[in-house]
């Protein structure tokens, strides 16, 4: 607190002198998960590398129809395409440049360097020790990656119309240039690339695949175009297949078959045995899901990156494509609630995801499922999850968080915007009605208990004695929770409210069109507006903790605002910018959790009060690691305790993600590899020597108040 006061006084003094002061945003990203929206994919061995909007993701596809997410590495910018060479992945990250990621440990990929550019980097290929990338403004850039930690620009090569994507065959680049067509570039001398032939299409070229003497172009609304490129100085069109109302984004080639990924239309397959007379064999429809890129993972399997995740397609019979696997995390996250060591996330289109956050640095998804509804808010009460939706209130049994069970629903008669629960009573704000009270003492039979009429009720918070809610046309109301009688009212109109919370004698209300309203409700009968904190963008969600106000601001990201020193003039400490729309935010144990359109992110505020030791405290002294990880037979657990001589009765405990103890490994059985270094082996069996199911498990070592933890993935 003292540190914040000093910083605030410095700001005031500098302002009074007419000087500017820029405070770096104190928000630090700890971890993230539940990513969606994959733009690009590439397969290398049994790994599928994905360019998510938020960074790089790695799947294990050793069983092609059963993709298993291994690890994620957040990267600034917006992931577009990815290439892999050796132990590094190269992520074309839009305005974030080229992110180089160490993938030697797939469960913990790590960004080791970033090649920065003022261009928008959208494609990448690797040749020898060079990364060649496309920039949407200039064309192509060639980067020396001999030392991945220190990438160096070799040269740039201008292309009219810029470069959207590219592929490579030998010493030749084939560059998709959007409306400017395709350019073939000779890079036999990487320091002096030269243009060869050009193909002008008068349509958008999104992606190119090359096989032998033919290039196959994903040509947007013009469908699939085939070019003869045996004379690279003069590429010639041999045929095209136009599909009415279908936009082609991506293309992949396998022998005499070409596969195209289409926007909201699925995957098409063509027989190109005769390039001058191509024939469509099949069309696998995936309604409402855009296919961004395709990648072969085996002779019989093709993966598609889609807006929701990844899909595995069986192409053993190209004339009859079948879907045999997928991974769809919940997307377009709207609200978040943290309870104990779990985060409960709801997506706009009916998705629910439960994430283990016992270690905020490594949030791990436990389960997800879907309900046909549009979700708006969430509450947890006893062993049930209550979700406000366009259909009313959905009730989900989360007694077993690994297998949530949709229990029942309550129809509110209109859109339900917000929900809060106190003493077996759920309070719902319902459009055109007001605030409804529902008895949920028996969650399987919710029973109405009356309502308070207020046609445009939106955001809500409930305390022991009162409930507070906003009416978009009439202002802030304070209602006695028992008598349902009006206690206080502050008149306002046209403030489009979406979220509300109470901290001490203050009420904070997020209004999309105005910012954040702060009210003094120390006297509930006479609520008073203190100030309106104006936001840069729509305030979609808010959280408050220890004098800090956190705002999920639509396209701006997450803003940290300090209000404790002067309620009338809160001070912004800046934004953590994130692609996509930031929708909901909450704080739990001094950790900030954000629900974003593209994923779930966890932050620390470096200026906030330091919390007491968490259950799983990262320690520079105690380290626990696993090799290999993932594993399917046995993994080696290495425990580093420098300068420590532990009691050999100490154990490494193995837990299921639910907290259920699986087994323990005693240091008595460890191999001592050096001072403070112990090596143990786990074979995937429980304490009864039974084989346990595939999944994510936690290895935990505790010594005094400190702990070391390592997540382990057991494969089938």
């Amino acid at each position: 607190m003292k540190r914040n006061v000093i910083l605030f006084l410095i700001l005031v003094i500098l302002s009074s002198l007419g000087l500017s002061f820029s405070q770096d945003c104190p928000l630090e990203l700890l971890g993230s998960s539940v990513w969606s929206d994959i733009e690009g994919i590439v397969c290398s061995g049994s790994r599928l590398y994905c360019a998510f909007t938020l960074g790089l993701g790695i799947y294990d596809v050793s069983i092609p129809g059963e993709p298993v997410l291994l690890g994620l590495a957040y990267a600034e910018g917006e992931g577009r395409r990815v290439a892999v060479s050796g132990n590094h992945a190269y992520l074309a990250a839009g305005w974030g440049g080229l992110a180089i990621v160490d993938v030697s440990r797939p469960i913990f990929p790590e960004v080791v360097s970033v090649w920065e550019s003022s261009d928008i980097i959208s494609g990448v290929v690797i040749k020898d020790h060079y990364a060649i990338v496309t920039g949407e403004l200039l064309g192509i850039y060639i980067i020396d990656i001999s030392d991945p930690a220190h990438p160096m620009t070799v040269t740039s090569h201008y292309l009219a119309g810029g470069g959207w994507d590219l592929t490579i065959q030998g010493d030749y680049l084939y560059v998709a240039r959007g409306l400017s067509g395709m350019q073939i570039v000779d890079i036999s001398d990487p320091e002096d690339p030269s243009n060869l032939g050009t193909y002008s299409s008068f349509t958008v070229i999104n992606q190119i695949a090359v096989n032998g003497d033919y290039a196959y172009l994903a040509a947007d609304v013009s469908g699939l175009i085939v070019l003869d490129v045996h004379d690279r100085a003069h590429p010639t069109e041999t045929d095209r297949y136009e599909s009415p109302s279908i936009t082609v984004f991506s293309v992949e080639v396998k022998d005499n078959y070409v596969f195209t990924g289409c926007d909201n239309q699925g995957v098409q397959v063509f027989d190109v045995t005769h390039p001058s007379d191509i024939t469509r064999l099949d069309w696998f429809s995936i309604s409402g899901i855009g296919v961004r890129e395709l990648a072969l993972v085996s002779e019989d399997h093709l993966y598609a990156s889609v807006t929701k995740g990844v899909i595995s397609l069986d192409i053993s019979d190209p004339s009859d494509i079948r879907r045999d696997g997928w991974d769809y995390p919940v997307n377009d996250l709207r609200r978040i609630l943290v309870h104990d060591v779990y985060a409960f996330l709801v997506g706009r289109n009916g998705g629910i995801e439960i994430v283990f956050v016992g270690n905020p640095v490594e949030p791990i998804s436990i389960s997800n499922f879907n309900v046909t509804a549009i979700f708006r808010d969430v509450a947890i009460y006893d062993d049930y999850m209550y979700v406000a939706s366009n259909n009313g209130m959905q009730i989900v049994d989360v007694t077993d968080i690994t297998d949530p069970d949709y229990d029942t629903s309550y129809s509110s008669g209109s859109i339900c915007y917000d929900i809060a629960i106190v003493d077996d009573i759920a309070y719902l704000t319902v459009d055109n009605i007001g605030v409804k009270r529902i008895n949920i003492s028996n969650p399987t039979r919710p029973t109405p208990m009356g309502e308070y009429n207020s046609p445009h009720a939106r955001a809500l918070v409930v305390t022991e004695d009162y409930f507070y809610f906003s009416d978009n046309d009439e202002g802030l109301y304070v209602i006695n929770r028992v008598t349902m009688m009006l206690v206080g009212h502050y008149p306002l109109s046209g403030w489009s409210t979406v979220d509300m919370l109470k901290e001490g004698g203050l009420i904070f209300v997020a209004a999309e069109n105005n910012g954040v309203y702060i009210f003094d409700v120390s006297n509930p009968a006479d609520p008073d507006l203190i100030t309106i904190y104006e936001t840069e963008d729509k305030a979609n969600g808010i959280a408050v903790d220890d004098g800090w106000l956190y705002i999920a601001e639509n396209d701006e990201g997450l803003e940290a605002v300090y209000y404790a020193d002067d309620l009338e003039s809160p001070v912004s400490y800046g934004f953590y910018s994130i692609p996509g729309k930031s929708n909901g935010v909450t704080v739990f144990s001094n950790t900030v959790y954000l629900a974003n359109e593209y994923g779930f992110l966890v932050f620390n505020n470096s200026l906030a009060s330091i919390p007491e030791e968490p259950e799983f405290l990262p320690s520079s002294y105690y380290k626990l690691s696993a090799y290999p990880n993932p594993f399917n037979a046995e993994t080696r657990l290495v425990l580093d305790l420098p300068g420590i001589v532990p009691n050999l009765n100490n154990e490494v405990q193995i837990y299921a993600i639910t907290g259920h103890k699986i087994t323990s490994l005693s240091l008595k059985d460890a191999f001592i590899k050096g001072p403070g270094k112990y090596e143990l082996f786990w074979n995937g069996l429980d304490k009864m020597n039974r084989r346990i199911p595939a999944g994510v498990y936690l290895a935990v070592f505790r010594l005094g108040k400190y702990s070391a933890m390592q997540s382990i993935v057991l494969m089938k």
Side-chain angles (χ1 to χ4, degrees), residues 44-326:
S44 179
S46 62
R47 304 282 189 259
L48 187 71
Y49 298 85
C50 302
F52 285 84
T53 297
L54 294 181
L56 178 76
I58 305 175
Y59 281 89
D60 184 287
V61 290
S62 53
I63 303 175
E66 300 180 19
V68 177
L69 182 64
L70 300 179
L72 301 168
Y74 181 85
E76 295 288 340
E78 297 181 3
R80 302 288 186 85
R81 290 290 187 263
V82 60
V84 178
S85 178
N87 287 327
H88 291 87
Y90 299 82
L91 179 72
W95 54 266
L98 180 71
I100 302 178
V101 186
D102 184 339
V103 295
S104 57
R105 297 179 64 196
I107 198 168
F108 291 122
E110 180 182 7
V111 176
V112 294
S113 65
V114 176
W115 177 81
E116 296 181 346
S117 174
S118 58
D119 209 333
I120 301 170
I121 306 304
S122 54
V124 57
V125 295
I126 306 298
K127 176 178 168 56
D128 302 328
H129 60 275
Y130 298 102
I132 303 119
V133 301
T134 49
E136 293 183 6
L137 303 179
L138 185 143
I140 63 173
Y141 302 83
I142 299 179
I143 306 158
D144 187 331
I145 52 170
S146 301
D147 179 1
H150 300 93
M152 302 291 292
T153 302
V154 175
T155 191
S156 60
H157 183 70
Y158 176 74
L159 296 175
W164 286 27
D165 200 7
L166 76 170
T167 190
I168 189 169
Q169 185 187 59
D171 289 331
Y172 303 98
L173 294 178
Y174 298 79
V175 185
R177 297 187 297 147
L179 280 168
S180 299
M182 180 194 76
Q183 179 69 56
I184 303 177
V185 181
D186 183 341
I187 57 165
S188 53
D189 179 358
E191 296 185 4
D192 187 24
S194 59
N195 289 349
L196 296 176
T198 300
Y199 173 77
S200 298
S201 59
F202 306 105
T203 188
V204 174
I205 304 301
N206 291 312
Q207 195 177 45
I208 303 168
V210 179
N211 188 21
D213 289 335
Y214 293 92
Y216 303 90
L217 280 58
D220 211 71
V221 295
S222 294
L224 174 66
I225 297 176
V226 184
L227 302 181
D228 183 334
V229 294
H230 81 279
D231 179 359
R232 295 183 178 87
H234 302 94
T236 306
E237 182 176 333
T238 63
D239 198 8
R240 67 170 60 194
Y241 189 99
E242 295 187 9
S243 304
S245 304
I246 294 180
T247 301
V248 178
F249 277 159
S250 56
V251 60
E252 178 68 291
V253 182
K254 174 184 177 290
D255 302 327
N256 291 323
Y257 301 101
V258 170
F259 302 85
T260 62
C262 310
D263 185 28
N264 298 327
Q265 296 292 338
V267 176
Q268 300 178 99
V269 57
F270 298 87
D271 185 334
V272 294
T273 304
H274 305 289
S276 60
D277 185 22
I278 61 177
T279 305
R280 188 171 76 178
L281 298 180
D282 194 18
W283 174 14
F284 181 81
S285 178
I286 314 172
S287 179
I289 299 178
V291 177
R292 303 306 187 198
E293 192 169 23
L294 302 167
L296 287 165
V297 299
S298 70
E299 283 295 309
D300 296 333
H301 278 84
L302 179 75
Y303 266 78
S305 67
V306 298
T307 49
K308 288 186 176 180
V310 292
I311 298 174
S312 172
L313 300 173
D314 184 336
I315 57 169
S316 54
D317 179 358
S319 64
D320 186 20
I321 302 175
R322 298 177 182 274
R323 181 171 65 179
D324 64 354
W326 62 88

Side-chain angles (χ1 to χ4, degrees), residues 487-505:
V487 175
H489 175 227
Y490 189 95
L492 282 169
S493 62
W495 57 330
S496 189
T497 57
V498 292
D499 199 9
M500 179 187 294
L501 54 85
K502 186 174 185 293
E503 180 79 358

Side-chain angles (χ1 to χ4, degrees), residues 173-490:
L173 294 178
Y174 298 79
V175 185
R177 297 187 297 147
L179 280 168
S180 299
M182 180 194 76
Q183 179 69 56
I184 303 177
V185 181
D186 183 341
I187 57 165
S188 53
D189 179 358
E191 296 185 4
D192 187 24
S194 59
N195 289 349
L196 296 176
T198 300
Y199 173 77
S200 298
S201 59
F202 306 105
T203 188
V204 174
I205 304 301
N206 291 312
Q207 195 177 45
I208 303 168
V210 179
N211 188 21
D213 289 335
Y214 293 92
Y216 303 90
L217 280 58
D220 211 71
V221 295
S222 294
L224 174 66
I225 297 176
V226 184
L227 302 181
D228 183 334
V229 294
H230 81 279
D231 179 359
R232 295 183 178 87
H234 302 94
T236 306
E237 182 176 333
T238 63
D239 198 8
R240 67 170 60 194
Y241 189 99
E242 295 187 9
S243 304
S245 304
I246 294 180
T247 301
V248 178
F249 277 159
S250 56
V251 60
E252 178 68 291
V253 182
K254 174 184 177 290
D255 302 327
N256 291 323
Y257 301 101
V258 170
F259 302 85
T260 62
C262 310
D263 185 28
N264 298 327
Q265 296 292 338
V267 176
Q268 300 178 99
V269 57
F270 298 87
D271 185 334
V272 294
T273 304
H274 305 289
S276 60
D277 185 22
I278 61 177
T279 305
R280 188 171 76 178
L281 298 180
D282 194 18
W283 174 14
F284 181 81
S285 178
I286 314 172
S287 179
I289 299 178
V291 177
R292 303 306 187 198
E293 192 169 23
L294 302 167
L296 287 165
V297 299
S298 70
E299 283 295 309
D300 296 333
H301 278 84
L302 179 75
Y303 266 78
S305 67
V306 298
T307 49
K308 288 186 176 180
V310 292
I311 298 174
S312 172
L313 300 173
D314 184 336
I315 57 169
S316 54
D317 179 358
S319 64
D320 186 20
I321 302 175
R322 298 177 182 274
R323 181 171 65 179
D324 64 354
W326 62 88
D327 182 57
Y328 285 175
V330 172
N331 65 338
D332 199 1
L333 300 175
R334 289 305 174 109
R335 284 291 181 262
I336 178 172
L337 185 149
V338 176
H339 179 72
D340 195 15
V341 292
Y342 302 105
F344 298 83
L345 307 165
V346 294
R348 181 180 184 276
N349 295 313
I352 294 174
E353 189 105 16
I354 302 175
V355 180
F356 174 78
V357 291
N359 179 9
V361 176
E362 191 184 343
I364 301 171
S365 180
I366 298 170
S367 59
N368 66 53
F369 67 105
N370 285 276
V371 178
T372 304
I374 296 177
F375 287 169
R376 296 182 177 275
D377 198 21
V378 58
I380 297 291
Y381 191 73
D382 290 337
D383 292 325
Y384 288 85
M385 183 177 185
Y386 298 82
V387 186
S389 75
N390 275 22
N391 301 341
M393 179 175 66
Q394 316 296 322
I395 303 176
V396 180
D397 186 341
V398 291
T399 304
D400 179 359
I401 59 169
T402 64
D403 187 23
D405 182 29
Y406 179 66
D407 205 75
T408 188
S409 64
Y410 170 80
S411 178
S412 59
S414 190
I415 299 172
C416 182
Y417 286 99
D418 206 351
I419 183 170
I421 302 173
V422 173
D423 294 341
D424 289 339
I425 301 174
Y427 295 78
L428 311 174
T429 53
V430 183
D431 193 32
N432 294 319
I433 295 175
V435 180
K436 283 196 168 190
R437 294 199 308 169
I438 313 297
N439 187 316
I440 56 168
S441 55
N442 180 356
T444 63
R445 298 186 64 183
T447 306
M449 295 179 60
E451 59 197 47
Y452 187 92
N453 293 323
S454 188
H456 301 102
R458 291 295 185 267
L460 170 79
V461 67
V462 182
T463 66
E464 188 67 28
D465 298 317
Y466 307 101
F467 64 85
Y468 305 77
F469 73 91
S470 61
D471 183 294
N472 279 356
D473 285 345
E474 298 183 8
L476 176 70
Y477 282 91
V478 185
I479 310 297
N480 185 291
R481 197 168 70 83
V482 177
T483 65
M484 294 288 281
M485 299 295 291
L486 176 66
V487 175
H489 175 227
Y490 189 95

